[in-house]
Amino acid sequence: DGHGVTLLSIQGLNFYNFNVQPELPEDNEDFTISIRTELANIDSMICELDTTSAYEYLDENGIEFVTSFSNPSVIIGSNMIQDTAEPNRWSLQTPIKIGTAGKLIGVRFVAIDNTKNQTTSAIFSIKIKQNPDLSALSISQGGIIFPELIVEVNYNGDDTLETDITAYKISNSDKLLFNSVEILLLPNRKSMCSLPGVLGSDMQKFKVVLDPDNKINELSESNNTLIDSLYINTFPVLPATGTSLNGTTNDTLRFGQYSVLIGPNSINDSSVLAVTRKTISQNSNQPQFSIENGMPGGLFESVDISIPNIPDTLLKPMRVEIFTTDTINNDVSIARWNPYLKIWIAQPTQHQQKSYITESSYYGQFTLIKSRDTEPPRLELSLDGQQFFQNSYVSRKPNISIIAEDQNGVSFDKTGLKVFLDGTIVNFTDLNIPDTLANGNYVSAQFRPELTYGDHDIEVIIKDAAGNSTVDQIIFIVSDELKLIDYGNYPNPFKDRTVFIYELTQRVDDFKIKIYTTSGRLIKILEESTIYSTGLDMNEGGYHEVLWNGLDNDGNFIANGVYFYKMIAKNKSKTVTKIGKTAKAR
């Protein structure tokens, strides 16, 4: 660390506080220039203008600079006078005007003292206000609540502008007003302007006009108009009418080989329905599924139906129809893509003479598939990480796991998974399902109900992606009395490891298994901290399997012979025990 002193001297500023009035002069508008200086003994001041060679550039750091005065023959000099009220300020003796809009002018000052010495300033700049220019760049479609014609507008200008944009729908020689809105344009940028309205169907031609009343004095009016045609894929869906072509009647929407129909009272709020055709490929997670919606060149296609203002499902199913020129195949059905499970899920499909029809409360991607999957999915129910048996005891708040597996994917959603507790369906939202999955071939969910004492049952129905289903029902007991049920150990005798099996009717505060020699010497305690297979909650009510690897407390294999074990369960002031016999034999 150190301290020091440096002597500084401050001299008068040569040229500062450059000022133009008006700040951004228009073409052919009088403006004046002034500058302040603290130079002494100034006899006269000249303002030099370069209206020919000035240009702007950015250095490597992005700082803007002006280069000018490269050609002395084009420099214009104007006399300046000293301001009587502010002696160190000099102003142009006569205002000047420039007739070119958008022109950049280089400015510098030459101060002459009473000894005829000249001091020249750095270069300043003035930009003559450019005439605004509007141009319509493109026309597209979109919207969330209602269909919109979207116009991209480019605006070059120095001021924020308000103007109008008008759109027409052109049919043959007729020009019908589509909509007209007021828009706000910020200087020197592109903007997207939306005009709500019913777009129609099939191919439609639109004409958009910027500033139709010519309120703005523009650089050019020729680029204010744009005409373009759109194949309409954006339609209104209203609570009272459902899908509609005109906003007043319920209509089937046809888009190429696809059609969609949503009936009245299917949604609570207005929304757009957007239909998009997408190229897809066969799904490697579904080896027994093949996509049948072929395109030229060996490609496959789906239709993506989007309803952006509807967060989840429709109140009533929508009707999706896929037309085909091929012979109808009864083995082919419509399938919907599940983005969470990353699989196609077959939908119940009607086969018409030239089309396939399904109904779905879910929107998304749909295509045609053929499934060779006839095997139901595998379903397993476990309790606190262990196998779930009929008439087993569980705690009042058990952790029930539902595990489903299928080589072509399981329909692990509201449509494919049903869980019933004591005959009452469990809300899908009450199931704890992972946020993300690698795929839908193996999925698990956790369910932790709060139960009353007595007998209960849980029934689970799960479908795979092809519609095959599996049902499993377990009856279990929640006991208000602590009991310990000893099922012994297996194998017995054992060679190098054995499994102790027991069941608790309630959760306990502590559970352990003590193993003794025939002489009564304690050689091993099996508890959560010492069992061979960790991660089990030995205290939880229900069925348990605890693995013992045949090692004593010192880590040595026990000798051949007979041993006794004692199961001890403690819950508050109550303790229950069970004693059994096991044998080690090589």
Side-chain angles (χ1 to χ4, degrees), residues 525-543:
I525 299 177
L526 297 177
E527 51 190 351
E528 285 193 38
S529 60
T530 61
I531 57 176
Y532 179 71
S533 183
T534 60
L536 298 177
D537 187 353
M538 298 175 64
N539 302 331
E540 189 60 69
Y543 177 88

Side-chain angles (χ1 to χ4, degrees), residues 183-201:
I183 57 175
L184 182 70
L185 300 174
L186 300 178
N188 298 310
R189 68 180 63 188
K190 295 178 182 178
S191 302
M192 306 302 291
C193 305
S194 300
L195 295 92
V198 177
L199 301 174
S201 62

Side-chain angles (χ1 to χ4, degrees), residues 359-396:
E359 291 188 345
S360 174
S361 296
Y362 294 86
Y363 49 87
Q365 281 183 261
F366 295 84
T367 194
L368 296 176
I369 59 99
K370 180 190 287 187
S371 169
R372 302 183 303 279
D373 184 359
T374 59
E375 294 293 325
R378 290 173 290 280
L379 175 63
E380 178 184 324
L381 302 180
S382 65
L383 178 68
D384 297 308
Q386 302 201 68
Q387 193 171 358
F388 209 160
F389 290 102
Q390 294 286 359
N391 297 307
S392 52
Y393 290 93
V394 306
S395 63
R396 290 195 62 187

Side-chain angles (χ1 to χ4, degrees), residues 207 329 372 477 513:
K207 175 182 179 180
N329 187 339
R372 302 183 303 279
I477 305 165
I513 302 173

Side-chain angles (χ1 to χ4, degrees), residues 201-329:
S201 62
D202 300 322
M203 188 68 71
Q204 297 288 340
K205 181 183 287 187
F206 293 94
K207 175 182 179 180
V208 295
V209 182
L210 300 174
D211 189 31
D213 297 327
N214 294 323
K215 298 177 181 178
I216 301 171
N217 182 23
E218 292 189 58
L219 186 64
S220 172
E221 302 283 350
S222 62
N223 52 5
N224 285 22
T225 300
L226 178 64
I227 298 176
D228 201 0
S229 296
L230 302 175
Y231 194 84
I232 303 303
N233 69 335
T234 308
F235 309 94
V237 186
L238 307 174
T241 61
T243 49
S244 180
L245 292 173
N246 54 19
T248 59
T249 60
N250 180 233
D251 300 304
T252 298
L253 308 179
R254 183 73 183 262
F255 184 80
Q257 70 184 87
Y258 309 99
S259 75
V260 182
L261 175 64
I262 297 176
N265 305 313
S266 296
I267 59 176
N268 290 322
D269 198 3
S270 301
S271 180
V272 158
L273 185 146
V275 186
T276 309
R277 300 167 71 167
K278 292 187 175 180
T279 302
I280 56 175
S281 58
Q282 302 287 357
N283 186 13
S284 60
N285 294 326
Q286 298 178 284
Q288 292 182 304
F289 276 41
S290 60
I291 297 173
E292 300 294 309
N293 199 16
M295 298 172 60
L299 301 175
F300 301 96
E301 183 181 80
S302 71
V303 60
D304 187 0
I305 301 171
S306 172
I307 313 176
N309 203 35
I310 304 301
D312 189 9
T313 60
L314 296 160
L315 301 177
K316 297 179 180 179
M318 66 177 175
R319 181 177 181 269
V320 179
E321 186 169 8
I322 301 179
F323 295 87
T324 180
T325 57
D326 299 330
T327 302
I328 294 297
N329 187 339

